[in-house]
């Protein structure tokens, strides 16, 4: 099913049934450096659909930069279960009292190539939005934010992305960090099956 088809199912209140249908077939799962497990389900051109799962039951990857990032694509996120906080970051460019450097993230099949830019910044917490089961929220490309699940909490979302020309994936990281490459670790068959069971158990 295409991005538009999944989006329509979400708008029509059929997100849970679509997720269960999608998980009934072959799926793959990878550990995302932002702390969740990602199950990519649809990809066509600049559009894609994934399921994101937060659970302490599964080992999660650690970020080499920080949780504060912005996408090169417009996000539509639908919460299937649990609570997700969309924490906006107010980022100010500065040289004298900078706390972070902006890094560009270029993703490929073998992982993420992370490169420091000349841009240094400091940031404060802006609007904090809390979303629960059945809620849908949007985030425009280029807006710095982090997705936060309460400690010990379980949550899953449908994430729909549509690329915006001219935008880049960025992350805030340490001032002195250099360029590096981060591989995306695939879950093995046992862990993938566990991830599917965790989601379906909450939806049935």
């Amino acid at each position: 099913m295409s991005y538009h088809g999944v989006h329509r199912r979400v708008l029509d209140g059929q997100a849970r049934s679509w997720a269960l249908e999608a998980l009934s077939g072959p799926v793959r799962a990878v550990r995302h450096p932002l702390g969740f497990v990602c199950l990519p389900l649809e990809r066509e051109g600049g559009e894609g659909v994934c399921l994101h799962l937060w659970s302490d039951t599964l080992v999660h990857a650690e970020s080499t930069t920080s949780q504060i990032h912005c996408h090169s694509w417009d996000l539509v996120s639908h919460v299937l279960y649990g609570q997700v906080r969309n924490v906006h970051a107010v980022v100010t460019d500065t040289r004298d009292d900078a706390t972070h450097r902006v890094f560009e993230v270029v993703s490929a099949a073998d992982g993420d190539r992370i490169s420091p830019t000349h841009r240094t910044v400091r940031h404060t917490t802006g609007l904090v939005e809390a979303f629960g089961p059945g809620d849908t929220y949007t985030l425009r490309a280029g807006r710095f934010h982090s997705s936060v699940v309460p400690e010990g909490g379980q949550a899953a979302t449908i994430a729909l992305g549509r690329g915006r020309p001219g935008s880049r994936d960025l992350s805030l990281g340490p001032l002195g960090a250099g360029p590096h490459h981060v591989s995306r670790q695939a879950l093995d068959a046992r862990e993938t099956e566990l991830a599917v069971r965790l989601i379906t158990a909450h939806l049935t």
Side-chain angles (χ1 to χ4, degrees):
M1 181 175 288
S2 68
Y3 170 102
H4 296 282
V6 178
H7 194 197
R8 175 50 56 191
R9 293 283 296 271
V10 170
L11 294 177
D12 289 345
Q14 300 175 24
R16 293 167 70 94
S17 60
W18 175 82
L20 288 170
E21 291 169 13
L23 291 173
S24 66
V27 296
R28 60 188 180 91
V30 295
R31 302 185 214 283
H32 195 284
L34 291 176
F36 54 84
V37 168
C38 177
L39 294 88
L41 296 174
E42 308 287 345
R43 174 72 67 177
E44 183 177 352
E47 298 176 338
V49 182
C50 301
L51 287 179
H52 291 171
L53 168 65
W54 288 263
S55 174
D56 286 345
T57 305
L58 297 166
V59 176
H60 57 82
E62 298 291 339
S63 173
T64 59
T65 51
S66 78
Q67 296 293 308
I68 301 172
H69 63 283
C70 71
H71 305 291
S72 61
W73 34 271
D74 296 331
L75 168 69
V76 177
S77 183
H78 178 86
V79 182
L80 290 166
Y81 63 84
Q83 184 188 84
V84 178
R85 295 179 188 142
N86 184 35
V87 182
H88 295 253
V90 180
V91 175
T92 303
D93 289 79
T94 181
R95 290 190 179 276
D96 297 332
D97 57 352
T99 58
H100 291 78
R101 183 174 300 280
V102 176
F103 289 76
E104 182 175 10
V105 181
V106 178
S107 299
D110 63 342
D112 302 321
R113 190 169 303 282
I114 301 174
S115 304
T117 71
H118 294 296
R119 185 181 174 191
T120 56
V121 302
R122 59 185 306 108
H123 72 87
T124 57
T125 300
L127 177 67
V128 178
E129 304 169 294
F131 300 98
D135 289 337
T136 301
Y137 65 96
T138 61
L139 186 72
R140 186 181 175 90
R143 299 287 182 89
F144 279 97
H145 79 121
S146 57
S147 298
V148 179
V149 170
E151 186 174 355
Q154 304 269 340
T157 64
I158 300 174
L160 300 100
R162 174 180 286 173
R164 182 172 288 272
S167 297
R168 298 185 296 169
D169 292 313
L170 303 174
S171 180
L172 302 190
L175 288 169
H180 56 284
H181 184 271
V182 176
S183 299
R184 294 283 180 96
Q185 182 185 0
L187 277 67
D188 61 24
R190 181 190 63 80
E191 285 185 300
T192 299
E193 182 182 353
L194 175 57
V196 171
R197 287 206 312 268
L198 287 170
I199 298 174
T200 55
H202 281 88
L203 300 183
T204 55

